[in-house]
Amino acid sequence: MMLKHTFLPLWIFALAAAILVAGCKNKTATNNADPRETNRVIDSPSVAYIKKLDKENKGVVFVFTKDYPEFKHLSNRSIVLKPLNQDLSIDLNEYQHKDYMGPVYILLPAYYVGIRASVILKCFPAYKGFTFSQPSDGYVVYYTDKKR
């Protein structure tokens, strides 16, 4: 009986430590940045393509996953989304744009094609019928002007 009371505080301490460590690991896992995002720069053909679209169109929205200095002076509206984590977990409150804002051009790195692009496109539920173009080997552009 005396042995049980001796180990009880030890068990409580061990349980509390395990919960604390599990909580810390969980917080670290949600900040699982994609290493491809480190020092990502945009290439010249993609810059030229976006600037051409900006010059030819009025009332469109450009969406980027990085705040490129090359696009600071676009005449149309632009939205900058944070790059996706490796595990593709997002906070919908930060990413989702529920309203139709006019035609939209979404510039993404080429490695987003597939499930990563699907995650981004689902953040614009007021839109449908995206088409795809590739101004360079490094980037793709999704476009639509169709309202859902």
Side-chain angles (χ1 to χ4, degrees):
M1 185 74 138
M2 182 67 159
L3 193 56
K4 280 186 180 178
H5 293 293
T6 305
F7 286 110
L8 185 60
L10 184 61
W11 278 104
I12 292 173
F13 176 78
L15 182 61
I19 290 171
L20 182 63
V21 168
C24 291
K25 283 184 180 176
N26 193 16
K27 288 179 184 174
T28 318
T30 58
N31 191 13
N32 194 8
D34 191 328
R36 293 175 287 192
E37 293 296 331
T38 306
N39 300 322
R40 176 168 49 103
V41 295
I42 191 161
D43 53 33
S44 296
S46 298
V47 170
Y49 184 72
I50 294 297
K51 286 187 175 183
K52 177 179 175 251
L53 290 171
D54 183 54
K55 190 175 187 178
E56 293 173 353
N57 297 285
K58 298 296 173 216
V60 300
V61 178
F62 293 101
V63 179
F64 308 112
T65 56
K66 185 173 182 178
D67 193 11
Y68 298 106
E70 294 87 349
F71 300 139
K72 288 287 185 202
H73 301 291
L74 293 177
S75 60
N76 288 286
R77 181 178 174 199
S78 62
I79 297 171
V80 178
L81 301 175
K82 290 193 306 188
L84 295 176
N85 295 343
Q86 280 184 315
D87 60 3
L88 304 180
S89 63
I90 63 169
D91 178 3
L92 277 178
N93 293 327
E94 288 182 48
Y95 284 81
Q96 196 166 51
H97 292 78
K98 295 180 182 180
D99 298 327
Y100 182 83
M101 303 170 281
V104 66
Y105 291 91
I106 303 173
L107 177 76
L108 299 173
Y111 65 85
Y112 269 52
V113 172
I115 193 159
R116 289 177 171 276
S118 295
V119 169
I120 295 292
L121 297 181
K122 286 183 193 253
C123 294
F124 295 87
Y127 292 88
K128 67 177 183 177
F130 282 94
T131 59
F132 171 98
S133 64
Q134 191 165 6
S136 70
D137 289 341
Y139 284 86
V140 296
V141 175
Y142 289 87
Y143 166 77
T144 191
D145 58 356
K146 296 179 178 81
K147 192 175 184 179
R148 187 173 302 272

